[in-house]
Amino acid sequence: MPMLGLGTWQNDDHDQCAESVRTALERGYRHVDTAQAYGNEAAVGEGLAAADVDREDVFLATKVWNSNLAHDDVLESTEASLSKLGVDAVDLLYVHWPAGAYDPEGTLSAFDELYEQGKIRNVGVSNFEPHHVETAVETLEAPLFANQVEMHPFLQQAELRDHASEHDYELVAYSPLARGGVFDDDVLSAIADDHGVSEAQVSLAWLRESGVTAIPKATGEAHIRDNLASLDLELSDDEVARIDAIEHTERRVDPGFGPDSWA
Ligand code: NAP
């Protein structure tokens, strides 16, 4: 899985979203993250088709929304996602939240069927705590590939990082720019100034150096390019330690499932 992907939550305008995806792929991104709940799978598919990049070179991920997590609904809604995305298979399909109609046996047996049929190349979960992950691993026949969770310098997820390395699955950081919060932190700004880069790049480089994949959302070309340039930024051990020492714990995504939290 490419360690930098394009996030697309709230990239709601169809043409704009398709253009963001096309631009990102043509500038060098090879990983795109969407979800049934974002309402933009068709736009993501359009951007993918328009880009001068082979489908097989792109790692495409989507997520099954909470109300579609009963066994048959997983199968039906995933078919609909594939059709909107214009692909035969996705590289990663996540359970979006362990909530709503989620039931480990029913939900995950449908994920296993899709995996067996080759319609999903990897099985993922999102917003899972360690105990949810352990139940999922025991229930699934397919390997668990990734858990996508909120992670940035203000929510460092130490317990999940240990759990992921112990149980051999990938962590994918959502809201890796703390939804804009990284621009207001003195430690990140000082490190960014020293390198002549943005705070966004510093946060993304810190995640990468922690072994975590990041999927920053970026709409226009300037942000798309800025975030991609983080792949060239190397932080010193001292800089990593200064970021590790940022102390507050702040969640930016409300897990309350209101309309504003349809992440
Ligand atoms: P984010 O990536 O932390 O922040 C996005 C915000 O930062 C946008 O306002 C964006 O503006 C801005 N931005 C991006 N690059 C920038 C740059 N280089 N300089 C200045 N501003 C920049 O927040 P997010 O969208 O919450 O998270 C990223 C992705 O994770 C989502 O899009 C989604 O794919 C996924 N996600 C998943 C879940 C889940 O439950 N699994 C929850 C939340 C998010 P522009 O749009 O104007 O470029």
Side-chain angles (χ1 to χ4, degrees):
M1 171 171 59
M3 290 193 80
L4 184 76
L6 181 75
T8 62
W9 180 33
Q10 296 176 332
N11 199 337
D12 293 328
D13 178 85
H14 181 96
D15 293 346
Q16 174 64 76
C17 181
E19 185 58 18
S20 302
V21 170
R22 187 188 67 79
T23 302
L25 293 174
E26 293 190 347
R27 296 296 166 268
Y29 287 65
R30 290 294 179 269
H31 176 173
V32 180
D33 181 87
T34 182
Q36 293 173 352
Y38 303 168
N40 61 10
E41 288 175 310
V44 168
E46 195 174 302
L48 179 66
D52 193 13
V53 172
D54 283 350
R55 157 71 190 105
E56 289 310 315
D57 293 338
V58 179
F59 190 92
L60 180 62
T62 192
K63 314 181 191 82
V64 180
W65 184 241
N66 304 353
S67 53
N68 291 333
L69 287 171
H71 176 277
D72 291 358
D73 294 340
V74 170
L75 301 178
E76 274 172 37
S77 68
T78 301
E79 289 294 347
S81 291
L82 294 177
S83 158
K84 287 178 191 162
L85 288 162
V87 296
D88 299 328
V90 286
D91 299 280
L92 176 56
L93 185 72
Y94 296 98
V95 175
H96 204 145
W97 291 83
Y102 179 66
D103 143 55
E105 297 279 341
T107 305
L108 298 175
S109 61
F111 274 65
D112 274 329
E113 282 172 50
L114 292 164
Y115 181 80
E116 278 298 311
Q117 292 164 1
K119 291 180 177 168
I120 66 174
R121 295 180 181 144
N122 291 286
V123 174
V125 295
S126 179
N127 299 296
F128 274 40
E129 301 287 339
H131 72 95
H132 295 120
V133 172
E134 283 162 29
T135 304
V137 167
E138 282 161 20
T139 310
L140 273 170
E141 285 179 17
L144 178 72
F145 180 73
N147 185 12
Q148 182 180 126
V149 296
E150 180 173 346
M151 184 171 168
H152 43 68
F154 317 127
L155 187 66
Q156 300 197 0
Q157 300 283 21
E159 185 189 0
L160 269 175
R161 280 152 77 178
D162 289 347
H163 193 261
S165 63
E166 193 182 320
H167 293 267
D168 201 24
Y169 61 88
E170 302 286 334
L171 274 188
V172 177
Y174 76 66
S175 306
L177 310 180
R179 317 209 76 217
V182 296
F183 299 101
D184 301 324
D185 181 83
D186 292 344
V187 172
L188 298 177
S189 294
I191 296 171
D193 284 350
D194 287 345
H195 287 274
V197 301
S198 67
E199 291 86 346
Q201 288 195 36
V202 174
S203 184
L204 296 171
W206 172 78
L207 286 162
R208 190 190 69 239
E209 292 188 11
S210 311
V212 174
T213 296
I215 49 167
K217 178 224 181 196
T219 306
E221 180 154 6
H223 289 170
I224 286 170
R225 278 183 185 274
D226 188 43
N227 297 341
L228 187 65
S230 68
L231 295 176
D232 298 325
L233 175 62
E234 286 188 23
L235 301 174
S236 67
D237 291 347
D238 173 63
E239 289 167 334
V240 169
R242 282 160 62 201
I243 300 171
D244 287 348
I246 293 175
E247 273 183 11
H248 35 284
T249 295
E250 253 174 71
R251 224 171 253 287
R252 301 289 168 131
V253 174
D254 171 12
F257 306 120
D260 293 337
S261 59
W262 276 26

